Amino acid sequence: NAGVIQTPRHKVTGKGQEATLWCEPISGHSAVFWYRQTIVQGLEFLTYFRNQAPIDDSGMPKERFSAQMPNQSHSTLKIQSTQPQDSAVYLCASSPGNSGNTLYFGEGSRLIVV
Amino acid sequence: GDSVTQTEGLVTLTEGLPVMLNCTYQSTYSPFLFWYVQHLNEAPKLLLKSFTDNKRPEHQGFHATLHKSSSSFHLQKSSAQLSDSALYYCALSRLTTGYQNFYFGKGTSLTVIP
């Protein structure tokens, strides 16, 4: 069991550039979550997929952030026109999707916008 | 709506002293409660999960008791170790319109000093 895999682990991008982060959930898990983690805000919920369908994107900054799950083995989080305040660790997590199931996190993608 | 409150942002303890990290929650339903631990530069990982039959979960010397009357799930350990220094998140999980969702507290950073 490889766990949740996230790539890249580190990304430095210039202000105004685009950043795409990838996540491979644990095989067989139907629920995929994206979180943003900063020292100030802690874990912030961004978006949630169930069986590849977007269920809740209430945490996503609407204008520049988008997430997709084109197949059951990967999800992407895209940030357009990156800003310094987007600098954070982006965590992907997956779960079997039923009440009481544990959420398993990847090691995260650290994004630095300079 | 559902929410989780962790009142302490930073806790510093001397090795050997007892640990207690507070967690209270609000939920209309009977949720599952979790404690996640995140060591520096690592992914958050499950430490404890509440049981449905009122058993007290224990792991690595930590335990937590779900008190529905006070909506609490405080994390405790009798004697802190240097290796316990980490970020601890309390989380709530329940089904929302048929889909599992998670709600995290802001986290408590525990530092254990010699």
Side-chain angles (χ1 to χ4, degrees), chain B residues 42-90:
Chain B
E42 295 184 6
K45 58 185 178 184
L46 178 69
L47 180 61
L48 293 173
K49 184 174 86 169
S50 64
F51 290 112
T52 54
D53 57 1
N54 295 322
K55 288 181 182 174
R56 188 179 81 169
E58 296 192 28
H59 185 62
Q60 297 179 342
F62 286 95
H63 62 267
T65 303
L66 180 61
H67 290 289
K68 294 181 181 179
S69 58
S70 59
S71 299
S72 66
F73 191 59
H74 303 321
L75 182 68
Q76 295 179 276
K77 186 176 183 182
S78 59
S79 176
Q81 297 176 292
L82 296 176
S83 57
D84 294 331
S85 296
L87 186 54
Y88 292 81
Y89 286 104
C90 184

Side-chain angles (χ1 to χ4, degrees), chain A:
Chain A
N1 191 341
V4 176
I5 299 171
Q6 290 190 249
T7 54
R9 291 293 314 281
H10 302 274
K11 185 174 181 66
V12 180
T13 187
K15 181 179 173 181
Q17 299 293 305
E18 181 179 288
T20 301
L21 310 176
W22 283 268
C23 171
E24 180 180 332
I26 293 172
S27 177
H29 282 190
S30 63
V32 174
F33 298 78
W34 282 96
Y35 292 88
R36 177 168 61 183
Q37 185 177 37
T38 60
I39 293 174
V40 174
Q41 297 294 334
L43 272 177
E44 293 179 277
F45 168 77
L46 293 176
T47 190
Y48 166 36
F49 294 87
R50 171 76 181 244
N51 293 324
Q52 299 172 233
I55 299 299
D56 182 355
D57 67 352
S58 59
M60 294 275 275
K62 292 291 184 260
E63 292 182 350
R64 299 182 292 106
F65 284 60
S66 62
Q68 294 184 321
M69 191 159 185
N71 57 60
Q72 63 185 7
S73 63
H74 92 274
S75 175
T76 59
L77 178 68
K78 183 182 290 186
I79 308 171
Q80 295 178 308
S81 185
T82 53
Q83 303 297 311
Q85 62 263 31
D86 299 331
S87 297
V89 176
Y90 291 84
L91 290 164
C92 177
S94 72
S95 162
N98 298 314
S99 179
N101 286 154
T102 298
L103 192 60
Y104 295 88
F105 285 88
E107 293 192 317
S109 293
R110 182 178 295 275
L111 176 68
I112 298 173
V113 182
V114 298

